[in-house]
Amino acid sequence: MSKPMTQAQQEQQHNRDTGGRYTTKPHSEAQGVQLPPLELVSDEAATHAVHDATAMTEPELEAIGPEVVETIKHTRNFTPQHIRAVASQIGHQRLGYDPIGASAIRNALSQMEPEAAHYARNFLNQRHPQAFSDQQSTVQQPAAQPAPELEHPLGSPDNPISATSDAVQTGEVFDTVVSKGRTYHRAREGMAPMEPQAVRLQADQELTDDDVMKVAQITGYSLRSVGHGEGASDPVRDSPYSFILYNDTTKGDQYKRLDRFQSLLHTYVHQGTPIRSSNKKGPGTEGTRKIEGFGRQAPQLEIYYDDAEVFDG
């Protein structure tokens, strides 16, 4: 005697056609059901990723950071390359310049020699001061307006800077400086000394009193080496980095050989004056130097003349 079928077996039998094959039943899905979206990365984590990948300044981050964060959160691409590409695009639209390119240039400026960096930064400040100036402000406009170029930048021959200014007093290098009632022009391409009566020396480091006396002595020695005139006067400081020597270069025709003077000065500052070959200056002086050089600690010097013709102003 067969056992009665269970409810499930009966349902299964009812699902056969006359040929004994199983049929299918329609299945209805619940309407209006949606899976919840995956949780996005937090604002804090995204902001941290943007900061690390872009090296943007605080004003740049304040201006476009939130938009960059939202964009990369929704793309869910947190690679540094993608973050920089997004920041660059949004920066062009909102700031008027590429903050990623500006960051790269700022880093390059930090690796340059101070004088070269000074001129490069001034050049860039005239175009996008909000990207390269020391005092940056948050950008408010969708696109920054380029700053007008200065016709005569401060420190140029047509706009000399005073030696009493904070910039000169802290060691910045300018082409034209007014000090102690005279205008001094930095030796460079396009500047030809005429018949200077005074020379200004500016170092790339603060000079002690002993440093000033040694550089002054070497300067006087170098001037006498190229002509038969007098040496220089006692030094007169005009900043912690610089001083002035008065000397009439027309005596002994020194003014005709100032290129040679400059070369000797730089050599003697490093190496000292030439080694004496005899005891002419006194017993035991053979093999010694009149003035010892600074060696590896030698300051880099900029030379200025009070009488010059300038062709690049």
Side-chain angles (χ1 to χ4, degrees):
M1 181 177 177
S2 62
K3 294 181 180 180
M5 289 189 294
T6 65
Q7 180 67 29
Q9 290 172 328
Q10 293 177 20
E11 292 293 335
Q12 186 181 34
Q13 290 298 322
H14 292 158
N15 196 33
R16 293 173 181 262
D17 60 15
T18 56
R21 292 169 298 188
Y22 288 103
T23 61
T24 59
K25 287 186 178 181
H27 176 73
S28 62
E29 295 283 354
Q31 299 298 312
V33 176
Q34 294 182 350
L35 294 176
L38 293 177
E39 183 179 357
L40 295 175
V41 174
S42 69
D43 285 349
E44 182 180 359
T47 300
H48 184 73
V50 170
H51 186 275
D52 286 350
T54 63
M56 288 192 291
T57 64
E58 288 302 320
E60 289 167 346
L61 286 169
E62 290 177 9
I64 68 171
E67 188 171 352
V68 175
V69 166
E70 285 303 312
T71 301
I72 64 170
K73 280 175 59 180
H74 286 290
T75 62
R76 299 183 186 177
N77 184 343
F78 290 87
T79 62
Q81 295 86 348
H82 179 68
I83 294 173
R84 287 191 287 268
V86 170
S88 176
Q89 180 181 11
I90 293 175
H92 273 299
Q93 297 169 351
R94 301 288 182 261
L95 305 177
Y97 66 90
D98 177 8
I100 305 305
S103 173
I105 294 174
R106 288 193 297 266
N107 181 64
L109 287 172
S110 70
Q111 308 301 317
M112 294 171 64
E113 290 294 327
E115 180 185 357
H118 166 75
Y119 286 104
R121 191 174 290 106
N122 282 350
F123 179 80
L124 293 167
N125 280 342
Q126 295 173 12
R127 284 152 177 78
H128 295 298
Q130 68 274 37
F132 300 104
S133 64
D134 292 334
Q135 301 297 326
Q136 296 174 346
S137 58
T138 303
V139 178
Q140 301 293 338
Q141 301 299 325
Q145 297 297 321
E149 292 192 20
L150 297 176
E151 183 178 1
H152 301 301
L154 185 62
S156 64
D158 293 309
N159 188 17
I161 188 170
S162 172
T164 60
S165 71
D166 290 341
V168 174
Q169 290 295 310
T170 55
E172 288 194 43
V173 176
F174 295 90
D175 285 341
T176 311
V177 178
V178 176
S179 183
K180 308 297 182 182
R182 301 191 188 205
T183 300
Y184 292 86
H185 299 277
R186 186 176 66 87
R188 64 193 188 281
E189 184 178 356
M191 190 284 290
M194 303 302 286
E195 297 180 355
Q197 303 295 300
V199 180
R200 180 177 183 271
L201 287 303
Q202 180 168 334
D204 64 345
Q205 61 194 49
E206 290 193 35
L207 300 170
T208 66
D209 290 342
D210 289 342
D211 293 338
V212 170
M213 290 305 301
K214 178 178 283 193
V215 175
Q217 291 171 353
I218 293 174
T219 302
Y221 187 98
S222 302
L223 284 167
R224 288 192 298 271
S225 297
V226 300
H228 301 289
E230 301 173 353
S233 70
D234 289 337
V236 178
R237 275 189 182 268
D238 66 346
S239 86
Y241 295 79
S242 57
F243 61 90
I244 295 167
L245 297 171
Y246 296 99
N247 176 75
D248 185 355
T249 62
T250 62
K251 295 181 178 180
D253 291 338
Q254 291 174 349
Y255 73 96
K256 295 180 179 180
R257 292 179 286 275
L258 290 176
D259 284 345
R260 175 66 176 158
F261 152 69
Q262 293 173 194
S263 177
L264 289 178
L265 175 60
H266 290 300
T267 298
Y268 294 162
V269 165
H270 283 81
Q271 300 177 5
T273 55
I275 296 175
R276 295 170 173 137
S277 58
S278 70
N279 288 323
K280 182 179 178 181
K281 296 298 182 180
T285 56
E286 182 179 357
T288 65
R289 302 178 189 272
K290 179 178 178 62
I291 310 167
E292 294 294 329
F294 287 86
R296 293 182 180 274
Q297 286 73 44
Q300 296 297 313
L301 296 173
E302 295 290 345
I303 304 172
Y304 292 75
Y305 299 104
D306 72 334
D307 182 26
E309 186 173 1
V310 182
F311 305 99
D312 63 349

